[in-house]
Amino acid sequence: MLCSSLVCLRMYGLVLESKLDDLSAKVSDLEAQVTSIHKKCLAMESPSTVYGYASTKLGMTEDAYAGIIRVQFSGKTASSMSDPKRWSGSLPDKHYR
C-alpha cells in the first residue's frame, strides 16, 4: 500500500513538473513578445517615424507651419505674441479613428 501511494505521488509530481515547464515556456514567450512590442513602441515614438506618418498618411507638407507662440511673463500679467508667419497647412478630408 505504501509503495503504491509513493508511486502515485511521484506520478503526480511528474505531472506538476510538466505543467511548470509548460508555464515557464509560456512566460518566456510572453516576455519576448513584450520586449518586441516595447521596441516597436519606442520606434513609433521616434521623430522621424512621426514625421513620416504625418506627411504620408495625414497629408502634412513641408511648408505647413504651425507658428510659435512666445509668452512673456511679468510679475502680474502675461501677454502672448503670435509669430507673424501664420499656419498655412490644411487638414485632410479623411476621418481617422
Side-chain angles (χ1 to χ4, degrees):
M1 177 113 165
L2 185 62
C3 283
S4 64
S5 63
L6 286 176
V7 168
C8 289
L9 287 175
R10 180 65 184 145
M11 291 179 71
Y12 182 67
L14 290 174
V15 169
L16 289 178
E17 285 180 20
S18 174
K19 288 182 180 180
L20 180 63
D21 288 341
D22 290 342
L23 288 175
S24 295
K26 286 180 183 179
V27 166
S28 178
D29 289 343
L30 290 174
E31 285 176 348
Q33 287 179 3
V34 166
T35 302
S36 173
I37 290 171
H38 184 67
K39 286 180 183 178
K40 287 179 184 178
C41 287
L42 289 176
M44 289 177 146
E45 292 175 354
S46 73
S48 61
T49 304
V50 171
Y51 180 79
Y53 183 82
S55 61
T56 58
K57 301 283 186 181
L58 301 178
M60 183 181 84
T61 59
E62 287 191 31
D63 61 345
Y65 181 73
I68 298 172
I69 296 176
R70 294 186 181 101
V71 178
Q72 297 173 339
F73 180 74
S74 65
K76 294 182 182 178
T77 62
S79 64
S80 89
M81 197 185 309
S82 64
D83 202 1
K85 187 175 180 182
R86 298 289 226 170
W87 178 60
S88 60
S90 63
L91 297 175
D93 294 331
K94 297 177 184 175
H95 297 286
Y96 294 97
R97 291 183 179 181

